[in-house]
Amino acid sequence: MAPIRDQRRQRLLLLALFLAPAVSLSAWAAERTAVRVSPLAADRQALDTLFEGGASAQRFKFLFTPETRSRPRVQAAPTVFPAVPKITYNGVQVPTVLFSHEDRVSKTLVSVIDKTQRTMDVALYVLSLPDVAEALVRAKQRGVAARVIMDHGHAFPSGGKPRSKELDTIVNGGVVIRTLAGGGSYGIMHHKFGVFDGKLIEAGSFNWTEAGNTKNFENAVFRDEANLIAGFQAAFDWMWPQAKPLSGLIQPGEPGAPPAEPKPSLSFKGRGWPAFMFSPNGGTEAKLIEAVSLCKARLDIAMFSFFSQPLGQAVIEARNRGVAVRVVVDRGQGRNSPISKLFADNGIDLKFSSGVGGVGVLHHKFALFDNEMLETGSFNYSQNAEVNNHENSLFSTKGDDLKAFGAEFDYLYAQALLPTADDLAPQPAFTGQADDR
């Protein structure tokens, strides 16, 4: 019964926070003992009524401080998420879009892997989902030709840290694994995509981790269009010879240019537009700047890590010409990025967000351009993502995608907080390097 009581207390806490004009959940995320809430008497009374003393009151320490008056009121009205189309893959129905706070993405991944019959190529920054690892092993055991490329840093963690049990599970299960790093000192293999039977791809921001599944704000997209499957398969096949067997040795040399769509298959503002792009040095940043420059009315960005000065300047120029710009970034990353203060100083509507229920991170990497085109994938808005990392961006002009991601952005924006002066102050411990998880 203890877990049920804990869940009830957490639900009550969330309800209480909806009543408060502003919320800071950093202490709860760290200790689950202290929560900073509104100083208003009406809200104190509401909390007292909800928790009625006893064990819950002992479990949570409420700090009523005037500091929170500067924070916006969290909107209690729920966002209505539209239904999304489904794809039939080897007899199973697969949603085209999933958001981690609404669905358990791992459940769909396991279903897809279990239905895969012939081939499976997966490029992963990190793996820590036990049920997914077990499904990968089952696929190998029934004869599926399964190949996995892992980020080198996660296959061989520094500082004597052990690698994930789930990676060991698939290694011991006979799945063929290679490792790949990015370029420069900070480059990583940051993909999170899979190609299944040459019929289906999965991409988006979703790391295949427990945090991605339960704590972070994430998205996963599934597609069966032939051009997207061909593009992501080409990206995997391009990386595979660069990657090395599980040996501990980082590959030498430069990878050359990543694959690109032979002919743009989308249209945005009358211009041909690619359905996908890959990094490093695939021109994604320049294409995103072009998309921002073409916006006429509205630009919404939800981004884990926003460090790109050229993209930041393009956003400011869009705002200056009358585009309604809203940006939500992860609080931890936003506090470290000089772009945040640049946006605040130039009147950009900027908010910070943690993860689901104040735990985890906002890990999305998507933008909506005039509500006519979506960009999502693994690509953070940083120089590292453009120059050093292995990354992907997927573009869509489908109405269902625009509605789904538009609703997601509205949800994120409603629960996010305005940054404080402390949030925008230089952070002493910051090294100046973007975190491109």
Side-chain angles (χ1 to χ4, degrees):
M1 294 300 293
I4 296 175
R5 288 198 300 270
D6 287 344
Q7 291 173 13
R8 179 176 178 273
R9 289 167 185 165
Q10 290 178 12
R11 287 196 295 269
L12 288 171
L13 177 59
L14 291 174
L15 179 59
L17 295 176
F18 274 118
L19 297 173
V23 182
S24 172
L25 284 165
S26 58
W28 183 51
E31 302 290 343
R32 296 196 178 184
T33 57
V35 179
R36 193 179 303 279
V37 295
S38 167
L40 301 182
D43 294 326
R44 294 190 190 210
Q45 183 178 359
L47 286 170
D48 289 340
T49 301
L50 279 168
F51 287 92
E52 300 174 346
S56 295
Q58 295 170 15
R59 173 81 179 272
F60 301 108
K61 178 183 177 184
F62 294 96
L63 307 178
F64 298 94
T65 64
E67 170 191 301
T68 58
R69 287 195 177 109
S70 64
R71 300 293 184 99
R73 180 177 294 275
V74 178
Q75 300 297 317
T79 300
V80 178
F81 288 90
V84 298
K86 293 185 177 182
I87 298 167
T88 300
Y89 170 71
N90 290 349
V92 66
Q93 295 290 295
V94 181
T96 54
V97 178
L98 291 172
F99 298 113
S100 57
H101 64 96
E102 287 287 298
D103 302 278
R104 287 290 174 266
V105 179
S106 63
K107 182 178 179 181
T108 300
L109 281 173
V110 169
S111 178
V112 167
I113 294 169
D114 281 343
K115 289 294 183 179
T116 299
Q117 300 168 357
R118 298 181 296 103
T119 62
M120 179 168 51
D121 290 334
V122 179
L124 296 179
Y125 176 56
V126 60
L127 173 64
S128 65
L129 288 168
D131 53 345
V132 172
E134 291 163 6
L136 290 170
V137 173
R138 287 196 298 272
K140 172 65 177 177
Q141 291 172 343
R142 65 176 180 270
V144 174
R147 299 185 295 176
V148 174
I149 300 175
M150 286 290 303
D151 172 63
H152 184 87
H154 279 90
F156 299 95
S158 60
K161 298 177 182 177
R163 65 190 181 196
S164 75
K165 295 178 181 178
E166 290 72 24
L167 179 53
D168 284 338
T169 294
I170 64 174
V171 169
N172 295 333
V175 176
V176 180
I177 300 172
R178 293 188 179 186
T179 70
L180 184 63
S185 300
Y186 298 101
I188 55 178
M189 202 294 297
H190 194 232
H191 287 299
K192 323 92 169 39
F193 76 77
V195 185
F196 306 95
D197 272 351
K199 297 179 180 179
L200 183 76
I201 65 164
E202 182 272 335
S205 73
F206 181 76
N207 275 326
W208 292 22
T209 65
E210 285 292 352
N213 212 30
T214 61
K215 297 179 180 179
N216 298 348
F217 284 121
E218 305 268 15
N219 69 82
V221 295
F222 293 84
R223 294 291 185 267
D224 63 354
E225 291 92 336
N227 64 319
L228 293 174
I229 293 168
F232 278 79
Q233 185 66 64
F236 188 95
D237 292 342
W238 175 72
M239 290 188 293
W240 187 251
Q242 300 174 49
K244 299 299 179 183
L246 210 60
S247 63
L249 300 176
I250 299 177
Q251 79 290 347
E254 295 296 326
E261 192 171 24
K263 182 179 179 181
S265 57
L266 303 180
S267 177
F268 178 58
K269 304 295 186 183
R271 300 186 184 187
W273 210 269
F276 56 84
M277 298 186 76
F278 297 104
S279 296
N281 297 309
T284 303
E285 183 180 67
K287 206 64 182 175
L288 290 168
I289 291 171
E290 181 182 354
V292 172
S293 73
L294 292 173
C295 282
K296 297 179 180 179
R298 182 174 176 178
L299 172 63
D300 291 334
I301 300 172
M303 191 59 46
F304 173 66
S305 183
F306 199 139
F307 279 75
S308 168
Q309 288 283 348
L311 261 170
Q313 190 58 46
V315 170
I316 291 169
E317 291 171 2
R319 189 261 180 190
N320 289 344
R321 66 176 181 268
V323 176
V325 176
R326 298 185 295 174
V327 179
V328 180
V329 299
D330 175 70
R331 182 174 183 266
Q333 292 298 298
R335 295 183 77 220
N336 283 331
S337 174
I339 299 297
S340 298
K341 189 172 189 306
L342 182 67
F343 280 173
D345 290 344
N346 283 274
I348 299 296
D349 186 354
L350 172 70
K351 285 189 173 185
F352 285 178
S353 175
S354 298
V356 179
V359 180
V361 299
L362 182 142
H363 195 243
H364 281 304
K365 306 102 169 40
F366 76 81
L368 291 159
F369 305 93
D370 271 348
N371 206 31
E372 296 175 15
M373 184 172 68
L374 162 74
E375 181 267 333
T376 188
S378 69
F379 190 93
N380 284 302
Y381 288 5
S382 71
Q383 184 183 32
N384 212 35
E386 172 63 27
V387 176
N388 293 321
N389 294 354
H390 292 273
E391 307 272 10
N392 66 83
S393 288
L394 185 151
F395 295 89
S396 174
T397 55
K398 292 182 177 181
D400 291 317
D401 289 337
L402 299 175
K403 290 177 182 177
F405 278 85
E408 176 71 359
F409 186 89
D410 288 342
Y411 176 87
L412 297 170
Y413 183 85
Q415 58 83 51
L417 304 175
L418 293 172
T420 65
D422 286 344
D423 287 334
L424 298 174
Q427 304 300 308
F430 180 52
T431 64
Q433 177 60 37
D435 181 348
D436 279 323
R437 281 180 280 170

